[in-house]
Amino acid sequence: MAEQAQHHPGGYYSGKNKIPDIKTFVQNLDKDKRERDQRLDDARTADQGKGEAKPHQVSKAGKEGTRKTVHDPTTQKEVQIEDVDASFMQAVENPQLSVPNVNLGKDTKVKTDPSQSNPEYGHNQDITAPPDPVAEGSTSDVPIHGEKTNILFHPTPSVSYEPMFAMLEKRAGGLCIAVCLAIIILGKMFGASLKGLIPTSMCIASGIWLWMKEVVRSGRELEWSSEQSRGETAVANLLPESVEWMNTLLGIVWGLINPEMFAAVADTLEDVMGASVPGVIENVRVAEINQGSNPIRILSLRALPDTHVKELKESIHAENKKTKDPQEAAADEEGGDYYNLEAAFAYHAKPSGADSSSKARNMHMQLVFYLGLKGLFGVPLPIFVELQGLVGTVRLRLQMTPEPPFLKTLTFTLMGLPQVQAGCVPMVQKGVNILNLPLISNFVNYAIGAAASMYVAPKSMSIDVGAILQGDDVQKDVLALGVMWIRIHRAVGLSKQDKRGSKHGGSDPYITLSFSKYGKPMYCTRVITDDLNPIWEETAALLVTPEYIKADEQLSVELWDSDRSSADDIVGKIELSMQKMIQHPGKMYPQISKLRGMEADSDMPGELHWEVGYFGKPQFRPALRTDGKDPNLPKGLKDKEELQDDKGTLDTEEKDAVAHTPPDPLWPSGVCSIIIHQIVNLELENIHGSEGNRKGREYEPAKAAGENTDEENKQLPSSYCTILFNDELVYRTRAKVVSSKPIFNAGTERFMRDWRSGIVTVTVRDSRHREHDPILGVVPLRLSDILQTSSQVTRWYPLDGGIGFGRIRISLLFRSVETRLPPNMLGWNVGTFEFTSEKILALNYHAHAKLKMRTGGSSGVIRRTQCRNLPEGDGMFFDIAKRDGKNNVRLPVKFRYRSPVIFEFHLAGKRGAAAYSVVWLHHLVDNTVTDINIPIWTTKNGPRLTQNYLTEESVTGKEVIGLEDLREVGRLQFRCQFKAGTDEDHEHFIHDNDSRETYETWEACLAEGVRHQKVGKEIPARTQELHDRSLTQARDVLKDASPEERKKWLSKDGEDWSGAFGHDPKAYMDSSGRKKAEPGRDKPVHDPYSPSSDDDKGDDNSSEPDSDDLGIQTANNTNRVNGSAETGEGQTDGEMDGESKREEKHREVANKKSEKRKNRGLMQWKPVRNLAFAKDEAKFSMKRIQHKLTGGLGGREPTVETETGT
């Protein structure tokens, strides 16, 4: 009974459901084969002789006088039709088959024979098969008893070469052995050495064997082409019992099927091969799987009663018991009727050439074998696996429902193991195909067979066909139910993990957040070295999905000790029930938790101070509802239905609200979902220019134009996509090999702090070997521009900024969560820290020092020569005024919400820093100038001061352990800002391929003018108008005011000025528009009736746009995105000359980078690209080694998400 256990193929592997391996598969391959064959022979013998054949009678066509000629809209031809009479019911009451007499052993005047030519064969088939008329005396009618059948009664016009192939392989094997022995024996007799004879004999024998395999392969291709010819002839002759109508349909639909439907097969095959590889292979990976354009063929179909699918019903029932509650399982099994089918299918590869594009039209996959020592190292060997042959039988059970599309689920099981034959080709342009040798080809074939065995009865697999047939791929809601917000403060009293360490030290702690059963870290804090009382003060947002709640997942907060030379040790953990947490939404709960050990009922020294809260998705505000139309369209085109975005099916109020309500300014934080559906007309740009002599072709186009018409050819790219959220790489799809219409249907969901400034960037690249993957195109999506009238948009976007052409279909969706973060927490994680003041003051500090600054991987220096005494004599100042492009101290930041800017004061003749100042970047608001006034500290334990989050209050209250000698010796004052987003300074952050591609994507967006240097917050005008109107609905004073007066008392962010009614709001604001006093409570800052209006000069020269504007952009009327050529007022001639020279130099550098990025100039030659790739890889390897030897300690940071995990 253990062998009959039901295990769903898509389920997880465990001790009861082991990964199948080739060894076990081969052992069970021929089990009970003899008894099974005997039962089949007995059943076939018993079925012979049934039925009474009668000569075929020409049936009456229909009612007399109703025949007429009409135009068939399906075939676009003229056909004859007539009305049906009651005699047609006889075909239902007494079903029968029209069988050629030659198949019944009767005499016949006309018959089909395999030796006939195709025209003669087609003619004879046409006059011996229905529909009428048929040749007299050539066909008999046979009654159908029992099951209905669908059998082809015409012989295939070919002979079977399989016996010859088997004999050829057998004799070739003997010949190879004989050749080996003959060479060795004869060579030894004439005095040759065995060291040379054995390799020589093996090479010659291998050549004979490979030649024989090529002959067999060619013969099978010829044999299969005859079967295809028979099928095409059957279509032409309209044979009613054939299934060629389905093969014709499959030929059209096959190329439209999403390859992701085969992802489960690829994952299973990868597991099987990984469990079976020998020791010389370190690992194996299925890099890509595709069905190609050559379809599978259906040989026969027949309907089955429920008694014939007993095992299939039991398999479905057992799976429902494991995965569903009893009520849901009963509803699914009894909620509709079932239709059962049995289908015989076959597949054979079409002849293919040496290029990959011809191979790609057959069903194929790309494997990567890592040759080496298992667990140590692996050299990748890419292998192209082509499915050459497949024959099998499958039984299908379709669950029908009364609601459209009337089909809910399809469950299938294989009736025995299919016959599979695959060919393996190394992905090299030249060389002998050694993979046809039995050792390698049999390994791949057995692995495919072992994977297919997971679907053989009694096992089965179910597919939700109803969702596929509905065709609505526009997502209306995010998968996440809400967000779990965690704030990690500090840990106290941890256990010492290292033998070495200072006082109050001896551990290098960090914290990971994960789900207990899933296990993968979803967030990781920074490592604080040599401290048993670390203070992190970090925040994280984890998405909560229904799967986590159904599985009763626990939020696992794990504290680890980082080690450089060994595995990290866990210090303690805390778990929290997510099911209970989501029942208390909308509030943060402070916790002081005692750490427990990994074992049950065990504890560890130390406690964790943290906060946690769950925040769900709010309802859409009706006041923000719009018409859902694209506001970027001109008025004359806005109402055209064909120009509107695809919104899918809106069958519920919530879906309708998503399609007609933009994101809410009251809830700026939320979950952003992006899905990449597909790309069409994808092709590479001609980077080599016009080719050939123009003589004789003077009037031909210089190069090809128009959209690409080839779906597959050797010039097409193997594309994949990457997704960046606010300049952070978060997702990468699989590569789709040589296709102009790759289908991805892949995406991700992430928490976004503020949709008003959020940017999602999709980059399409071409996957290449031994060179950097070039950019085919980029699509930057600014949420405030895209989501102006709805919270979900699905559109086609052109690819720009790369070496490719095409259009990509992307779905973008944002759903807010009910949490209002403070302004400093609504920023980007990637940006640049920069000074806006010309001086840095060090009050009450009197030493001439060099000022070093550092933060998260970047550093800067202000030299001692720039340090001077203040005129008042109460300290020093550092002159950082910009002169000729110098003193531009800027620090690029990669992890802003866990990083500080550390100021170190270094004195001459002394090692180490004499004093420190620290400003934490999460206190700054994006793109806002902030006045900083922080203490200058002295201490002997500088790392503990700079790594822990300390405040003046905590130092004053003696809350910091291990910094008892901390003393304030002055104050550091300056103005600064955090500039959100990537810029040129981030080029120094490039240390691996991911960071290089991220920076290259930003460069491409900037160079093409699709993105600005500065990232700001914007609210669409229509959304702002609706938001302002909603804020006045409950205020009687503003409700009765005129629109002009109402606008005056509402700030842009919805701030209430109604208490100042009667006074001008400018009296309560500074020159930047910030409120400085509370109306109705405080005195106005300026004259309440005539405040200064210097900052509000209107433009009297504004006018309506020219009605004849055709949208033509030239050098005269195009605004420059990245700067202006105009010089500022008050600049001297020398300053303007210096500025223009710097701008010219900047343009030259940008042009060179753009040329390199687009593979132009020297980069158009592949050897140059190979050298650039090798140079960068060597540099990245050296950085990895340097970081391993001398770098800081690292935690368990999450890596880039992919379709197969990370």
Side-chain angles (χ1 to χ4, degrees), residues 1160-1187:
R1160 296 186 179 275
L1162 289 176
M1163 295 301 292
Q1164 67 179 303
W1165 308 109
K1166 188 173 181 179
V1168 179
R1169 299 198 298 269
N1170 295 150
L1171 289 175
F1173 173 78
K1175 176 184 175 182
D1176 287 344
E1177 286 299 309
K1179 181 172 65 176
F1180 296 157
S1181 299
M1182 292 301 298
K1183 287 188 176 182
R1184 285 193 295 267
I1185 295 173
Q1186 182 181 4
H1187 179 76

PDB file of all heavy atoms in Angstrom, residues 1160-1187:
ATOM      1  N   ARG A1160      28.189  50.884 -29.362  1.00  0.00           N
ATOM      2  CA  ARG A1160      28.633  51.618 -30.537  1.00  0.00           C
ATOM      3  C   ARG A1160      30.135  51.901 -30.419  1.00  0.00           C
ATOM      4  O   ARG A1160      30.737  51.676 -29.372  1.00  0.00           O
ATOM      5  CB  ARG A1160      27.837  52.912 -30.700  1.00  0.00           C
ATOM      6  CG  ARG A1160      26.357  52.662 -30.971  1.00  0.00           C
ATOM      7  CD  ARG A1160      25.610  53.953 -31.276  1.00  0.00           C
ATOM      8  NE  ARG A1160      24.213  53.701 -31.560  1.00  0.00           N
ATOM      9  CZ  ARG A1160      23.737  53.367 -32.748  1.00  0.00           C
ATOM     10  NH1 ARG A1160      24.579  53.239 -33.779  1.00  0.00           N
ATOM     11  NH2 ARG A1160      22.457  53.151 -32.944  1.00  0.00           N
ATOM     12  N   GLY A1161      30.710  52.437 -31.490  1.00  0.00           N
ATOM     13  CA  GLY A1161      32.146  52.673 -31.482  1.00  0.00           C
ATOM     14  C   GLY A1161      32.893  51.350 -31.429  1.00  0.00           C
ATOM     15  O   GLY A1161      32.567  50.388 -32.123  1.00  0.00           O
ATOM     16  N   LEU A1162      33.904  51.297 -30.584  1.00  0.00           N
ATOM     17  CA  LEU A1162      34.676  50.055 -30.444  1.00  0.00           C
ATOM     18  C   LEU A1162      33.845  48.931 -29.853  1.00  0.00           C
ATOM     19  O   LEU A1162      34.122  47.754 -30.091  1.00  0.00           O
ATOM     20  CB  LEU A1162      35.911  50.310 -29.556  1.00  0.00           C
ATOM     21  CG  LEU A1162      37.026  51.169 -30.169  1.00  0.00           C
ATOM     22  CD1 LEU A1162      38.113  51.397 -29.137  1.00  0.00           C
ATOM     23  CD2 LEU A1162      37.603  50.500 -31.414  1.00  0.00           C
ATOM     24  N   MET A1163      32.803  49.285 -29.062  1.00  0.00           N
ATOM     25  CA  MET A1163      32.014  48.260 -28.394  1.00  0.00           C
ATOM     26  C   MET A1163      31.122  47.480 -29.357  1.00  0.00           C
ATOM     27  O   MET A1163      30.461  46.526 -28.929  1.00  0.00           O
ATOM     28  CB  MET A1163      31.162  48.906 -27.308  1.00  0.00           C
ATOM     29  CG  MET A1163      31.956  49.526 -26.175  1.00  0.00           C
ATOM     30  SD  MET A1163      33.023  48.341 -25.318  1.00  0.00           S
ATOM     31  CE  MET A1163      31.800  47.317 -24.525  1.00  0.00           C
ATOM     32  N   GLN A1164      31.056  47.877 -30.622  1.00  0.00           N
ATOM     33  CA  GLN A1164      30.257  47.103 -31.565  1.00  0.00           C
ATOM     34  C   GLN A1164      30.939  45.788 -31.916  1.00  0.00           C
ATOM     35  O   GLN A1164      30.309  44.879 -32.452  1.00  0.00           O
ATOM     36  CB  GLN A1164      30.002  47.904 -32.831  1.00  0.00           C
ATOM     37  CG  GLN A1164      31.236  48.177 -33.682  1.00  0.00           C
ATOM     38  CD  GLN A1164      30.919  48.937 -34.930  1.00  0.00           C
ATOM     39  OE1 GLN A1164      30.109  48.499 -35.731  1.00  0.00           O
ATOM     40  NE2 GLN A1164      31.520  50.104 -35.092  1.00  0.00           N
ATOM     41  N   TRP A1165      32.235  45.655 -31.596  1.00  0.00           N
ATOM     42  CA  TRP A1165      32.974  44.436 -31.902  1.00  0.00           C
ATOM     43  C   TRP A1165      32.967  43.522 -30.682  1.00  0.00           C
ATOM     44  O   TRP A1165      33.279  43.934 -29.573  1.00  0.00           O
ATOM     45  CB  TRP A1165      34.397  44.759 -32.326  1.00  0.00           C
ATOM     46  CG  TRP A1165      34.445  45.784 -33.424  1.00  0.00           C
ATOM     47  CD1 TRP A1165      34.868  47.070 -33.338  1.00  0.00           C
ATOM     48  CD2 TRP A1165      34.006  45.599 -34.773  1.00  0.00           C
ATOM     49  NE1 TRP A1165      34.737  47.713 -34.540  1.00  0.00           N
ATOM     50  CE2 TRP A1165      34.204  46.828 -35.453  1.00  0.00           C
ATOM     51  CE3 TRP A1165      33.467  44.516 -35.483  1.00  0.00           C
ATOM     52  CZ2 TRP A1165      33.889  46.993 -36.787  1.00  0.00           C
ATOM     53  CZ3 TRP A1165      33.147  44.684 -36.822  1.00  0.00           C
ATOM     54  CH2 TRP A1165      33.363  45.902 -37.454  1.00  0.00           C
ATOM     55  N   LYS A1166      32.625  42.272 -30.896  1.00  0.00           N
ATOM     56  CA  LYS A1166      32.468  41.322 -29.799  1.00  0.00           C
ATOM     57  C   LYS A1166      33.751  41.109 -28.995  1.00  0.00           C
ATOM     58  O   LYS A1166      33.691  41.033 -27.764  1.00  0.00           O
ATOM     59  CB  LYS A1166      31.961  39.983 -30.344  1.00  0.00           C
ATOM     60  CG  LYS A1166      31.594  39.006 -29.245  1.00  0.00           C
ATOM     61  CD  LYS A1166      30.943  37.752 -29.804  1.00  0.00           C
ATOM     62  CE  LYS A1166      30.564  36.808 -28.668  1.00  0.00           C
ATOM     63  NZ  LYS A1166      29.910  35.579 -29.182  1.00  0.00           N
ATOM     64  N   PRO A1167      34.949  41.028 -29.607  1.00  0.00           N
ATOM     65  CA  PRO A1167      36.154  40.859 -28.785  1.00  0.00           C
ATOM     66  C   PRO A1167      36.371  41.996 -27.789  1.00  0.00           C
ATOM     67  O   PRO A1167      36.842  41.767 -26.680  1.00  0.00           O
ATOM     68  CB  PRO A1167      37.288  40.803 -29.824  1.00  0.00           C
ATOM     69  CG  PRO A1167      36.632  40.312 -31.069  1.00  0.00           C
ATOM     70  CD  PRO A1167      35.261  40.895 -31.051  1.00  0.00           C
ATOM     71  N   VAL A1168      36.014  43.214 -28.184  1.00  0.00           N
ATOM     72  CA  VAL A1168      36.158  44.346 -27.259  1.00  0.00           C
ATOM     73  C   VAL A1168      35.174  44.196 -26.093  1.00  0.00           C
ATOM     74  O   VAL A1168      35.521  44.453 -24.940  1.00  0.00           O
ATOM     75  CB  VAL A1168      35.927  45.676 -28.004  1.00  0.00           C
ATOM     76  CG1 VAL A1168      36.058  46.853 -27.041  1.00  0.00           C
ATOM     77  CG2 VAL A1168      36.922  45.816 -29.151  1.00  0.00           C
ATOM     78  N   ARG A1169      33.952  43.753 -26.387  1.00  0.00           N
ATOM     79  CA  ARG A1169      32.974  43.534 -25.316  1.00  0.00           C
ATOM     80  C   ARG A1169      33.417  42.396 -24.402  1.00  0.00           C
ATOM     81  O   ARG A1169      33.197  42.442 -23.191  1.00  0.00           O
ATOM     82  CB  ARG A1169      31.604  43.246 -25.917  1.00  0.00           C
ATOM     83  CG  ARG A1169      31.047  44.386 -26.765  1.00  0.00           C
ATOM     84  CD  ARG A1169      29.541  44.238 -26.966  1.00  0.00           C
ATOM     85  NE  ARG A1169      29.183  43.025 -27.670  1.00  0.00           N
ATOM     86  CZ  ARG A1169      29.054  42.907 -28.983  1.00  0.00           C
ATOM     87  NH1 ARG A1169      29.291  43.976 -29.762  1.00  0.00           N
ATOM     88  NH2 ARG A1169      28.699  41.773 -29.549  1.00  0.00           N
ATOM     89  N   ASN A1170      34.034  41.351 -24.987  1.00  0.00           N
ATOM     90  CA  ASN A1170      34.553  40.256 -24.165  1.00  0.00           C
ATOM     91  C   ASN A1170      35.635  40.746 -23.213  1.00  0.00           C
ATOM     92  O   ASN A1170      35.677  40.339 -22.038  1.00  0.00           O
ATOM     93  CB  ASN A1170      35.098  39.142 -25.052  1.00  0.00           C
ATOM     94  CG  ASN A1170      34.026  38.465 -25.879  1.00  0.00           C
ATOM     95  OD1 ASN A1170      34.282  37.987 -26.975  1.00  0.00           O
ATOM     96  ND2 ASN A1170      32.797  38.420 -25.376  1.00  0.00           N
ATOM     97  N   LEU A1171      36.524  41.610 -23.694  1.00  0.00           N
ATOM     98  CA  LEU A1171      37.583  42.144 -22.844  1.00  0.00           C
ATOM     99  C   LEU A1171      37.015  43.009 -21.731  1.00  0.00           C
ATOM    100  O   LEU A1171      37.470  42.942 -20.578  1.00  0.00           O
ATOM    101  CB  LEU A1171      38.576  42.956 -23.698  1.00  0.00           C
ATOM    102  CG  LEU A1171      39.480  42.148 -24.636  1.00  0.00           C
ATOM    103  CD1 LEU A1171      40.318  43.092 -25.497  1.00  0.00           C
ATOM    104  CD2 LEU A1171      40.396  41.222 -23.835  1.00  0.00           C
ATOM    105  N   ALA A1172      36.020  43.844 -22.051  1.00  0.00           N
ATOM    106  CA  ALA A1172      35.397  44.674 -21.014  1.00  0.00           C
ATOM    107  C   ALA A1172      34.730  43.810 -19.954  1.00  0.00           C
ATOM    108  O   ALA A1172      34.800  44.100 -18.749  1.00  0.00           O
ATOM    109  CB  ALA A1172      34.376  45.621 -21.656  1.00  0.00           C
ATOM    110  N   PHE A1173      34.084  42.729 -20.383  1.00  0.00           N
ATOM    111  CA  PHE A1173      33.450  41.806 -19.439  1.00  0.00           C
ATOM    112  C   PHE A1173      34.490  41.138 -18.540  1.00  0.00           C
ATOM    113  O   PHE A1173      34.315  41.057 -17.311  1.00  0.00           O
ATOM    114  CB  PHE A1173      32.656  40.763 -20.216  1.00  0.00           C
ATOM    115  CG  PHE A1173      32.084  39.666 -19.370  1.00  0.00           C
ATOM    116  CD1 PHE A1173      30.939  39.874 -18.623  1.00  0.00           C
ATOM    117  CD2 PHE A1173      32.697  38.418 -19.325  1.00  0.00           C
ATOM    118  CE1 PHE A1173      30.410  38.850 -17.847  1.00  0.00           C
ATOM    119  CE2 PHE A1173      32.181  37.400 -18.551  1.00  0.00           C
ATOM    120  CZ  PHE A1173      31.034  37.620 -17.809  1.00  0.00           C
ATOM    121  N   ALA A1174      35.576  40.660 -19.136  1.00  0.00           N
ATOM    122  CA  ALA A1174      36.627  40.006 -18.352  1.00  0.00           C
ATOM    123  C   ALA A1174      37.262  40.978 -17.358  1.00  0.00           C
ATOM    124  O   ALA A1174      37.560  40.613 -16.216  1.00  0.00           O
ATOM    125  CB  ALA A1174      37.683  39.427 -19.285  1.00  0.00           C
ATOM    126  N   LYS A1175      37.473  42.210 -17.782  1.00  0.00           N
ATOM    127  CA  LYS A1175      38.053  43.219 -16.895  1.00  0.00           C
ATOM    128  C   LYS A1175      37.166  43.471 -15.686  1.00  0.00           C
ATOM    129  O   LYS A1175      37.628  43.493 -14.536  1.00  0.00           O
ATOM    130  CB  LYS A1175      38.280  44.504 -17.674  1.00  0.00           C
ATOM    131  CG  LYS A1175      38.804  45.655 -16.828  1.00  0.00           C
ATOM    132  CD  LYS A1175      38.909  46.928 -17.655  1.00  0.00           C
ATOM    133  CE  LYS A1175      39.316  48.117 -16.779  1.00  0.00           C
ATOM    134  NZ  LYS A1175      39.370  49.380 -17.568  1.00  0.00           N
ATOM    135  N   ASP A1176      35.855  43.655 -15.916  1.00  0.00           N
ATOM    136  CA  ASP A1176      34.932  43.918 -14.811  1.00  0.00           C
ATOM    137  C   ASP A1176      34.805  42.712 -13.890  1.00  0.00           C
ATOM    138  O   ASP A1176      34.741  42.856 -12.667  1.00  0.00           O
ATOM    139  CB  ASP A1176      33.558  44.315 -15.351  1.00  0.00           C
ATOM    140  CG  ASP A1176      33.552  45.712 -15.944  1.00  0.00           C
ATOM    141  OD1 ASP A1176      34.503  46.463 -15.665  1.00  0.00           O
ATOM    142  OD2 ASP A1176      32.608  46.047 -16.685  1.00  0.00           O
ATOM    143  N   GLU A1177      34.755  41.505 -14.471  1.00  0.00           N
ATOM    144  CA  GLU A1177      34.642  40.312 -13.638  1.00  0.00           C
ATOM    145  C   GLU A1177      35.873  40.144 -12.759  1.00  0.00           C
ATOM    146  O   GLU A1177      35.769  39.747 -11.595  1.00  0.00           O
ATOM    147  CB  GLU A1177      34.446  39.080 -14.528  1.00  0.00           C
ATOM    148  CG  GLU A1177      33.070  38.981 -15.142  1.00  0.00           C
ATOM    149  CD  GLU A1177      31.980  38.877 -14.096  1.00  0.00           C
ATOM    150  OE1 GLU A1177      32.096  38.027 -13.198  1.00  0.00           O
ATOM    151  OE2 GLU A1177      31.014  39.657 -14.158  1.00  0.00           O
ATOM    152  N   ALA A1178      37.055  40.448 -13.302  1.00  0.00           N
ATOM    153  CA  ALA A1178      38.274  40.366 -12.492  1.00  0.00           C
ATOM    154  C   ALA A1178      38.234  41.395 -11.363  1.00  0.00           C
ATOM    155  O   ALA A1178      38.621  41.098 -10.226  1.00  0.00           O
ATOM    156  CB  ALA A1178      39.493  40.583 -13.383  1.00  0.00           C
ATOM    157  N   LYS A1179      37.751  42.586 -11.674  1.00  0.00           N
ATOM    158  CA  LYS A1179      37.660  43.628 -10.651  1.00  0.00           C
ATOM    159  C   LYS A1179      36.672  43.235  -9.564  1.00  0.00           C
ATOM    160  O   LYS A1179      36.943  43.407  -8.371  1.00  0.00           O
ATOM    161  CB  LYS A1179      37.250  44.951 -11.301  1.00  0.00           C
ATOM    162  CG  LYS A1179      37.156  46.113 -10.342  1.00  0.00           C
ATOM    163  CD  LYS A1179      36.932  47.426 -11.088  1.00  0.00           C
ATOM    164  CE  LYS A1179      35.608  47.434 -11.788  1.00  0.00           C
ATOM    165  NZ  LYS A1179      35.309  48.740 -12.442  1.00  0.00           N
ATOM    166  N   PHE A1180      35.508  42.686  -9.950  1.00  0.00           N
ATOM    167  CA  PHE A1180      34.511  42.274  -8.963  1.00  0.00           C
ATOM    168  C   PHE A1180      35.043  41.129  -8.104  1.00  0.00           C
ATOM    169  O   PHE A1180      34.783  41.071  -6.895  1.00  0.00           O
ATOM    170  CB  PHE A1180      33.220  41.843  -9.667  1.00  0.00           C
ATOM    171  CG  PHE A1180      32.540  42.956 -10.426  1.00  0.00           C
ATOM    172  CD1 PHE A1180      31.671  42.671 -11.463  1.00  0.00           C
ATOM    173  CD2 PHE A1180      32.777  44.283 -10.108  1.00  0.00           C
ATOM    174  CE1 PHE A1180      31.051  43.682 -12.172  1.00  0.00           C
ATOM    175  CE2 PHE A1180      32.167  45.307 -10.808  1.00  0.00           C
ATOM    176  CZ  PHE A1180      31.300  45.006 -11.842  1.00  0.00           C
ATOM    177  N   SER A1181      35.803  40.217  -8.714  1.00  0.00           N
ATOM    178  CA  SER A1181      36.365  39.098  -7.945  1.00  0.00           C
ATOM    179  C   SER A1181      37.359  39.597  -6.912  1.00  0.00           C
ATOM    180  O   SER A1181      37.374  39.123  -5.766  1.00  0.00           O
ATOM    181  CB  SER A1181      37.038  38.103  -8.894  1.00  0.00           C
ATOM    182  OG  SER A1181      36.112  37.568  -9.802  1.00  0.00           O
ATOM    183  N   MET A1182      38.195  40.547  -7.292  1.00  0.00           N
ATOM    184  CA  MET A1182      39.148  41.105  -6.342  1.00  0.00           C
ATOM    185  C   MET A1182      38.436  41.810  -5.189  1.00  0.00           C
ATOM    186  O   MET A1182      38.864  41.722  -4.035  1.00  0.00           O
ATOM    187  CB  MET A1182      40.088  42.075  -7.065  1.00  0.00           C
ATOM    188  CG  MET A1182      41.045  41.414  -8.052  1.00  0.00           C
ATOM    189  SD  MET A1182      42.110  40.178  -7.257  1.00  0.00           S
ATOM    190  CE  MET A1182      43.013  41.212  -6.102  1.00  0.00           C
ATOM    191  N   LYS A1183      37.336  42.508  -5.492  1.00  0.00           N
ATOM    192  CA  LYS A1183      36.583  43.174  -4.426  1.00  0.00           C
ATOM    193  C   LYS A1183      35.952  42.161  -3.485  1.00  0.00           C
ATOM    194  O   LYS A1183      35.897  42.393  -2.275  1.00  0.00           O
ATOM    195  CB  LYS A1183      35.516  44.081  -5.047  1.00  0.00           C
ATOM    196  CG  LYS A1183      36.076  45.347  -5.677  1.00  0.00           C
ATOM    197  CD  LYS A1183      34.953  46.285  -6.096  1.00  0.00           C
ATOM    198  CE  LYS A1183      35.533  47.595  -6.637  1.00  0.00           C
ATOM    199  NZ  LYS A1183      34.474  48.559  -7.020  1.00  0.00           N
ATOM    200  N   ARG A1184      35.474  41.042  -4.033  1.00  0.00           N
ATOM    201  CA  ARG A1184      34.896  40.006  -3.169  1.00  0.00           C
ATOM    202  C   ARG A1184      35.959  39.406  -2.264  1.00  0.00           C
ATOM    203  O   ARG A1184      35.718  39.165  -1.075  1.00  0.00           O
ATOM    204  CB  ARG A1184      34.232  38.925  -4.021  1.00  0.00           C
ATOM    205  CG  ARG A1184      32.916  39.340  -4.623  1.00  0.00           C
ATOM    206  CD  ARG A1184      32.165  38.137  -5.179  1.00  0.00           C
ATOM    207  NE  ARG A1184      32.860  37.532  -6.298  1.00  0.00           N
ATOM    208  CZ  ARG A1184      32.632  37.841  -7.575  1.00  0.00           C
ATOM    209  NH1 ARG A1184      31.729  38.763  -7.873  1.00  0.00           N
ATOM    210  NH2 ARG A1184      33.292  37.246  -8.543  1.00  0.00           N
ATOM    211  N   ILE A1185      37.139  39.153  -2.830  1.00  0.00           N
ATOM    212  CA  ILE A1185      38.219  38.602  -2.010  1.00  0.00           C
ATOM    213  C   ILE A1185      38.648  39.609  -0.947  1.00  0.00           C
ATOM    214  O   ILE A1185      38.873  39.256   0.221  1.00  0.00           O
ATOM    215  CB  ILE A1185      39.407  38.207  -2.907  1.00  0.00           C
ATOM    216  CG1 ILE A1185      39.002  37.066  -3.848  1.00  0.00           C
ATOM    217  CG2 ILE A1185      40.611  37.811  -2.070  1.00  0.00           C
ATOM    218  CD1 ILE A1185      40.059  36.718  -4.873  1.00  0.00           C
ATOM    219  N   GLN A1186      38.770  40.864  -1.343  1.00  0.00           N
ATOM    220  CA  GLN A1186      39.167  41.906  -0.384  1.00  0.00           C
ATOM    221  C   GLN A1186      38.150  42.043   0.739  1.00  0.00           C
ATOM    222  O   GLN A1186      38.503  42.176   1.906  1.00  0.00           O
ATOM    223  CB  GLN A1186      39.325  43.230  -1.121  1.00  0.00           C
ATOM    224  CG  GLN A1186      39.776  44.386  -0.224  1.00  0.00           C
ATOM    225  CD  GLN A1186      39.888  45.687  -0.989  1.00  0.00           C
ATOM    226  OE1 GLN A1186      39.557  45.738  -2.172  1.00  0.00           O
ATOM    227  NE2 GLN A1186      40.333  46.728  -0.336  1.00  0.00           N
ATOM    228  N   HIS A1187      36.863  41.985   0.374  1.00  0.00           N
ATOM    229  CA  HIS A1187      35.822  42.095   1.395  1.00  0.00           C
ATOM    230  C   HIS A1187      35.841  40.887   2.329  1.00  0.00           C
ATOM    231  O   HIS A1187      35.616  41.003   3.535  1.00  0.00           O
ATOM    232  CB  HIS A1187      34.453  42.231   0.729  1.00  0.00           C
ATOM    233  CG  HIS A1187      33.316  42.327   1.703  1.00  0.00           C
ATOM    234  ND1 HIS A1187      33.037  43.479   2.410  1.00  0.00           N
ATOM    235  CD2 HIS A1187      32.399  41.408   2.101  1.00  0.00           C
ATOM    236  CE1 HIS A1187      31.995  43.273   3.182  1.00  0.00           C
ATOM    237  NE2 HIS A1187      31.593  42.023   3.018  1.00  0.00           N
TER     238      HIS A1187
END
